[in-house]
Every structure is written in C-alpha cells, then in structure tokens.
Amino acid sequence: MDDRPIGVFDSGLGGLTAVRSLRQILPEENLIYFGDTARVPYGGRSRETLLKYARQDVRFLRSFDLKAILIACGTVSTTALPTLAAENDLPIVGVVEPTCRRAVAVTKNRRVGMIATLASVRSGAYEAQLQKLDPSVQVVSKPCPLFVPLVENGRFAPGDIVIETVAREYLEPLRDTGIDTLILGCTHYPLLWDVIHGVMGPGVTLVSAGEESAFELKRLLTARDARADGARSGTAEFCVSDRAEDFERTASLFLQEDLRHAARRIDIDQY
Ligand code: DGL
C-alpha cells in the first residue's frame, strides 16, 4: 500500500478527462493536478519548447512526495515521455500506448482514425504504436488545432455554432474514409465527446486518451502493490500557472462540482 499522491499534468483543462476517470476507478487516491494555463496551448510548439515545459511541469509536481506521475497530455506523451521517464526515478505513465491498445481491441474493420494536436501528429507516435500492436491496421491521422483553444474558452457544448462548424470541417472528411474507430489523441478532445460523436455518427467508436491513461495507471499501481488505503476518500488539489478563476469556472462545468476557490496559482518559471 502507498498513500502518497499521484501527480497529473496537462497544458490546461484537458487532463481533467483523466482526473474524472481516476476519481471513478481509484476514488481513494489523492491527486495533485497541474494545468499549465499560462502557456496553453502546447500543441503547435516545437519539441525543444515542449521538453522544456514538460520538465518544469514535472519539477513542480515533484515538489510533492509523489508515488507516480500521469502525463495527461497527448502532446507531452508523444514528444517527451521517454526523456522524462529516463530522468525521473518514479513511474511515469503516458497516454499513447494504452489508448492504442484499446483502439486495436475495438476496431473491426482495421481502419482507425486519430485526431490530436499538430505536435502529436508530427511525432508519428500514435501511428507507430498502432503499427507495432497490429501491422494490419490502417491509420488516418488529422490535427485539429482549433479544438484546444475553443475548449479552453468554454466552447464545448453541443449546439454551440462555432464548435459545431469547426468540428464538421475537421471531421467530415475523416468520417468519409470509412474508419470505425476514432482515437481522441489529445486529452482536451473528450470534452467535445457529444460534438464529435454527433459528426462521426453511431458507427464510429470513440476512444479517449484521458480515460485509457487512467486505466493504465490503475493497472500499474495494482501491479506494484502501490494503491492507497481503499477505506479512505481521496482528495484533489488543483494548481495552475495563470488565473485560477478561469480554470475553476470551466473545470466546475466539466467535473460537475463547485470548484470555486479550489485552484491555486503557482509560478511555473521557478521550476
Ligand atoms: N491536452 C493536451 C494534449 O493532449 C494539450 C493540448 C494543447 O495544449 O495544445 O495534447
């Protein structure tokens, strides 16, 4: 048993899709969440910049005595996971491998779509992992760079004309390729679940990177006998690098709880 907290980070709100799953499947765990809201979006940045940001995010989280870190960010997972894992002496879980495993398990026609940030698509990490798991799978990838800023601005509700228009523009050509499975390879995208499902239709199974990474973390903690005391109720601490109020407002909507005054602003440049 290990009662120490788990660190979770993302550029902003996206990692909350992993937090939501973690709270359902590991309710006894304490979570420390960091959203780098001063520097979101990460998705269009270079490898060098992403590595610098990711190292700072990890250094901040490691100011707590953690038992594991979940990179609840597709962009960091696709570009910096091996480096971060080599530099740190605690388990670090990313989103790519568990998400691809699920996609390969659910696809029937072996045609899998993958949407993510520009940096993730450029890295080719999802495609490489899918090929490794099943060389017969055909992958169609597409960056959707406007999704993250729209989500961060609270434009994720079905019926919102802006997000619906952008979603159709990105996704209709993908739907027409005949895929039966779509990887939401950026953790922000499950906040758009209903919008994306509306465009793709019932014939396409959506796979959430946030959710799959939470399952992976549960497997890892269980295998290491590092789960927290099951009798307790876990806590969540939220830290951000810019205005806490903006994060609290959208996070409250997504997690369906009142998070007013729940987030703390930290200076990420100190790490
Ligand atoms: N949620 C992140 C991801 O999974 C980052 C998106 C961004 O900041 O562009 O890729």
Side-chain angles (χ1 to χ4, degrees):
M1 197 161 74
D2 189 337
D3 282 341
R4 290 178 299 165
I6 298 162
V8 182
F9 75 96
D10 178 47
S11 60
L13 290 159
L16 295 179
T17 57
V19 167
R20 188 168 66 172
S21 298
L22 286 172
R23 285 170 141 192
Q24 279 161 6
I25 63 175
L26 293 169
E28 66 279 9
E29 298 293 344
N30 290 345
L31 308 176
I32 315 254
Y33 185 82
F34 175 60
D36 194 4
T37 52
R39 304 188 292 198
V40 68
Y42 278 10
R45 301 186 194 273
S46 66
R47 278 184 69 89
E48 297 71 35
T49 303
L50 288 168
L51 190 55
K52 177 180 147 201
Y53 288 179
R55 282 181 167 136
Q56 286 179 300
D57 301 346
V58 167
R59 273 201 290 272
F60 163 65
L61 283 175
R62 295 209 68 185
S63 62
F64 300 84
D65 181 21
L66 302 176
K67 62 179 168 188
I69 288 180
L70 174 59
I71 306 177
C73 175
T75 306
V76 173
S77 300
T78 54
T79 53
L81 173 58
T83 310
L84 296 174
E87 289 174 353
N88 288 278
D89 56 356
L90 85 174
I92 301 189
V93 171
V95 304
V96 177
E97 202 182 319
T99 307
C100 291
R101 236 186 283 127
R102 171 74 67 187
V104 165
V106 300
T107 181
K108 293 192 173 65
N109 71 2
R110 324 312 292 159
R111 292 175 73 82
V112 174
M114 200 288 291
I115 54 174
T117 64
L118 268 170
S120 288
V121 172
R122 245 188 246 131
S123 76
Y126 279 104
E127 294 82 347
Q129 186 63 43
L130 287 164
Q131 287 301 309
K132 191 168 144 195
L133 291 167
D134 183 346
S136 75
V137 165
Q138 276 179 279
V139 191
V140 191
S141 307
K142 177 146 191 166
C144 301
L146 290 175
F147 277 174
V148 170
L150 286 170
V151 168
E152 288 288 329
N153 281 283
R155 309 294 296 260
F156 47 81
D160 180 306
I161 181 116
V162 179
I163 192 63
E164 293 277 2
T165 306
V166 172
R168 274 199 303 276
E169 165 102 8
Y170 283 145
L171 301 176
E172 276 172 358
L174 204 55
R175 183 191 60 201
D176 297 341
T177 63
I179 56 169
D180 72 351
T181 304
L182 179 63
I183 291 177
L184 311 188
C186 167
T187 54
H188 277 74
Y189 297 179
L191 280 102
L192 299 171
W193 190 275
D194 293 339
V195 173
I196 295 172
H197 181 68
V199 180
M200 298 310 290
V204 177
T205 305
L206 306 184
V207 178
S208 156
E211 190 177 0
E212 296 309 325
S213 65
F215 287 131
E216 178 71 2
L217 185 65
K218 181 177 180 179
R219 274 192 293 272
L220 179 132
L221 295 179
T222 307
R224 291 175 175 241
D225 197 18
R227 302 263 298 266
D229 177 1
R232 74 175 192 181
S233 226
T235 58
E237 193 174 327
F238 298 96
C239 303
V240 290
S241 52
D242 212 314
R243 279 171 48 88
E245 299 81 353
D246 300 338
F247 175 86
E248 286 165 356
R249 197 173 324 110
T250 316
S252 300
L253 273 176
F254 178 65
L255 292 178
Q256 308 251 288
E257 69 179 78
D258 187 357
L259 290 173
R260 259 175 302 174
H261 311 300
R264 182 161 63 90
R265 182 175 181 170
I266 63 108
D267 180 5
I268 194 64
D269 290 329
Q270 287 184 359
Y271 295 89

